Amino acid sequence: MIHRLYVNNFRCLENFDLPLKGMSSALLMGGNGSGKSTVLHVLEILQRIARGENRTGRLLQPEDFSYGRFDAPMRFEIEVFLQERLYLYTLALELPEKFKELRILEEALSVDGQAVYTRKEAEVSLFRRSPNSEDTARFLVDWHLAALPLIQASPDTESVRIFRTWLAHTVLLVPIPSLMTGESGGETLEPERDGSNFAEWFTGLLSRYPSSYTSVERSLRQVMPDIKDLLNRPVSDNVKSLAVRFREQNEDRARNAELTVRFKNLSDGEKCFFICAVILAANESYGPLFCFWDEPDSHLSLSEVGHFILSLRRAFGNSGQLLTTSHHPEAIRRFSDENTLLLFRRSHLEPTSVRRLDEISFDGDLVEALIRGDIPAYGD
Amino acid sequence: MATNNFRPHLHVIPEDDRNRQIANGFAGSKSIAPRVVQILPPAGGWMKTVEKAKDSDMQRYAERRLHLLVDFDRKTDRIEYIKKNIPEEFIERVFILGTFSEPEELKATLGRKGLEEIGESLSEECPACSDRSLWEHALLRHNTEELERMIVSVRSFLFERSEDREHFPPRTGGGSL
């Protein structure tokens, strides 16, 4: 569970502290341009580092410094509670004069306040601890590369592996259903934000955790009761194609009508049901997962939104953590004051601030207050 | 797919935004079966919940139950007033429950961090007879009679655990307005 995300000097986030401690699920709300997508972007940078894409030039650009302020470092800190221990990963970057690509100024991982490794520019210090001794390995890393994915797995670096795996498995979603074709040329546990490798993710989940099929089917049957089963058949040497078989719900057993629909031909909303089912199964199988879903209500019918959000919230109430954004009244109403975070900016020249909704006073219905613009700091 | 209107389901009409948050905790609780509770938008006052109840297609959908989640504002006759204004044709499927004063006072006296947490605790105590300490709180115990009536009506579908759906021992003690 993320306790805290701190960002400084990155786009509209200056001295920005997102408090998530104790929230198994939370809603990030705010006007257009308030910084919600920038929070997602930060999480994506950290995720990509853990997934091995660690070249600073591929992750960040000079224009990402807030208001072109190159004289101060850009800083990211994420505090995560995993397996009863508190992990803190820090990354600070700078753009010295005449540099075209950002370089790493500082990087560190600590667990329960004890440094696992620290880094100053190119020099990394890896602290190896055993019951009887403590020594430090020092080595150099290109200052344009984050060290996190480069540290080799060993008994001394188990905490690096735990943190890195958790971060690589985070699910950051802004799904584009038309890109979800249901075809897979491999398998993964690392879904892309647009959902384009959904079938690979589903295949990877079933391949490594076959019992998760039961969970996926159970979730889907709640929203599509006429599902019979799912097929994932080879269509060529290396490609499989996902399809769904439906059967008529009829008490007259003499009729046995069935229909097979290729995954790509499902509706956008139905594809979102699949994403939800796979997230829940993944969280049970290899979680706890952190999931950021940007506007999960998109593509859903009005009567479905509340159930969908409550299902997600309920599932992440057991383990893992869910962070969503929404402008949809039904989605907003399925969160409460203590788990709704409001982002706001006074203008494009000022940074994003964050407040919990229970720290803001307003009268009457929340959604109506938002429409009226009555909530201080919303659309201000 | 929404709640199936032809199977037993419960609609909740919260009086206001505070009660909406209690309903969130109740419907999102692990004790409650998924997709059988639909929380409708806040009515904007307890009298408006009555108007909304009249417009809830209760006659058309025989499996629909309606929970009006209202503040009693320390008025002991409020429940009778509301009941008098609900059409007799479906009054037995309408249940009026809420805080004796208002949710913020309940939250303050319980020292809870949020209203959602209160809703969740209320749902967990709902099917059990042995421990209903929260329902017996000074600001909630006036609901006892209406709660009993509601549980009899919804127990077959509302609760997640099959033992809560199938077995519900009669309760002793309690109070009403």
Side-chain angles (χ1 to χ4, degrees), chain A residues 160-179:
Chain A
V160 177
R161 188 195 62 77
I162 291 170
F163 176 74
R164 198 165 54 198
T165 304
W166 172 84
L167 191 53
H169 283 168
T170 54
V171 180
L172 310 177
L173 285 171
V174 192
I176 302 173
S178 59
L179 298 180

Side-chain angles (χ1 to χ4, degrees), chain A residues 234-277:
Chain A
V235 288
S236 69
D237 284 350
N238 301 314
V239 179
K240 287 180 179 174
S241 182
L242 200 56
V244 189
R245 280 201 295 190
F246 296 96
R247 70 174 152 211
E248 191 174 9
Q249 286 185 299
N250 198 325
E251 288 177 9
D252 176 8
R253 298 288 171 94
R255 294 181 63 184
N256 197 20
E258 276 190 12
L259 175 68
T260 302
V261 178
R262 290 176 69 183
F263 184 85
K264 72 171 190 177
N265 293 331
L266 292 174
S267 74
D268 289 354
E270 286 171 328
K271 288 177 182 174
C272 290
F273 293 154
F274 271 80
I275 296 176
C276 180

Side-chain angles (χ1 to χ4, degrees), chain A residues 96-279:
Chain A
E97 221 172 302
K98 295 182 182 170
F99 272 54
K100 289 183 178 171
E101 192 177 11
L102 280 74
R103 74 172 181 185
I104 309 245
L105 176 66
E106 291 170 23
E107 187 180 355
L109 179 70
S110 69
V111 181
D112 289 337
Q114 276 203 320
V116 177
Y117 77 89
T118 60
R119 173 197 187 152
K120 188 82 179 163
E121 296 177 352
E123 187 176 312
V124 177
S125 303
L126 180 63
F127 302 99
R128 293 186 294 206
R129 291 185 179 86
S130 66
N132 304 320
S133 67
E134 181 172 323
D135 71 287
T136 306
R138 289 194 170 81
F139 53 93
L140 297 176
V141 171
D142 182 330
W143 58 25
H144 295 299
L145 297 178
L148 183 68
L150 302 176
I151 294 171
Q152 298 294 310
S154 77
D156 292 326
T157 57
E158 179 61 7
S159 52
V160 177
R161 188 195 62 77
I162 291 170
F163 176 74
R164 198 165 54 198
T165 304
W166 172 84
L167 191 53
H169 283 168
T170 54
V171 180
L172 310 177
L173 285 171
V174 192
I176 302 173
S178 59
L179 298 180
M180 296 168 61
T181 61
E183 295 201 340
S184 56
E187 49 184 63
T188 183
L189 295 182
E190 298 178 357
E192 297 293 335
R193 62 182 259 163
D194 58 11
S196 56
N197 68 343
F198 172 78
E200 275 97 346
W201 183 27
F202 184 42
T203 307
L205 175 69
L206 293 186
S207 161
R208 281 172 237 195
Y209 307 95
S211 62
S212 62
Y213 180 85
T214 313
S215 168
V216 171
E217 193 183 64
R218 187 177 58 237
S219 298
L220 288 172
R221 204 156 267 157
Q222 285 180 359
V223 282
M224 295 188 279
D226 53 349
I227 272 192
K228 182 187 177 196
D229 55 15
L230 310 175
L231 307 172
N232 200 16
R233 290 186 288 213
V235 288
S236 69
D237 284 350
N238 301 314
V239 179
K240 287 180 179 174
S241 182
L242 200 56
V244 189
R245 280 201 295 190
F246 296 96
R247 70 174 152 211
E248 191 174 9
Q249 286 185 299
N250 198 325
E251 288 177 9
D252 176 8
R253 298 288 171 94
R255 294 181 63 184
N256 197 20
E258 276 190 12
L259 175 68
T260 302
V261 178
R262 290 176 69 183
F263 184 85
K264 72 171 190 177
N265 293 331
L266 292 174
S267 74
D268 289 354
E270 286 171 328
K271 288 177 182 174
C272 290
F273 293 154
F274 271 80
I275 296 176
C276 180
V278 171
I279 289 173

Side-chain angles (χ1 to χ4, degrees), chain B residues 90-133:
Chain B
F90 56 83
I91 183 80
E92 81 280 2
R93 289 186 283 128
V94 179
F95 310 96
I96 302 119
L97 296 100
T99 314
F100 189 58
S101 55
E102 53 185 37
E104 282 301 322
E105 187 185 347
L106 180 64
K107 186 175 109 176
T109 58
L110 290 170
R112 300 288 181 102
K113 70 173 184 179
L115 296 167
E116 207 172 84
E117 192 186 321
I118 294 174
E120 190 176 349
S121 300
L122 289 171
S123 77
E124 282 159 9
E125 286 187 9
C126 227
C129 259
S130 51
D131 179 16
R132 282 217 198 132
S133 49

Side-chain angles (χ1 to χ4, degrees), chain A residues 22-23 222-226 249 273 301-304 306-308 310-311 313-314 317-318 330 332-339 356-358 362 364-368, chain B residues 1-3 7 14 16-18 20-42 44 104 107 113-117 160:
Chain A
M23 295 184 195
Q222 285 180 359
V223 282
M224 295 188 279
D226 53 349
Q249 286 185 299
F273 293 154
S301 67
L302 198 53
S303 60
E304 181 54 42
H307 292 301
F308 193 83
L310 279 184
S311 301
R313 291 197 59 200
R314 180 197 294 239
N318 294 332
E330 263 300 289
I332 289 171
R333 284 190 177 117
R334 294 292 73 81
F335 285 86
S336 300
D337 291 359
E338 66 273 21
N339 44 47
R356 240 169 48 176
L357 195 57
D358 57 8
F362 62 94
D365 176 50
L366 167 64
V367 171
E368 282 184 24
Chain B
M1 202 163 284
T3 47
R7 288 176 181 271
D16 58 17
D17 206 64
R18 303 290 176 233
R20 168 187 69 80
Q21 296 177 53
I22 293 179
N24 276 349
F26 187 92
S29 156
K30 288 189 281 288
S31 330
I32 301 298
R35 314 183 73 79
V36 295
V37 180
Q38 181 74 278
I39 306 167
L40 301 176
E104 282 301 322
K107 186 175 109 176
K113 70 173 184 179
L115 296 167
E116 207 172 84
E117 192 186 321
E160 178 72 346

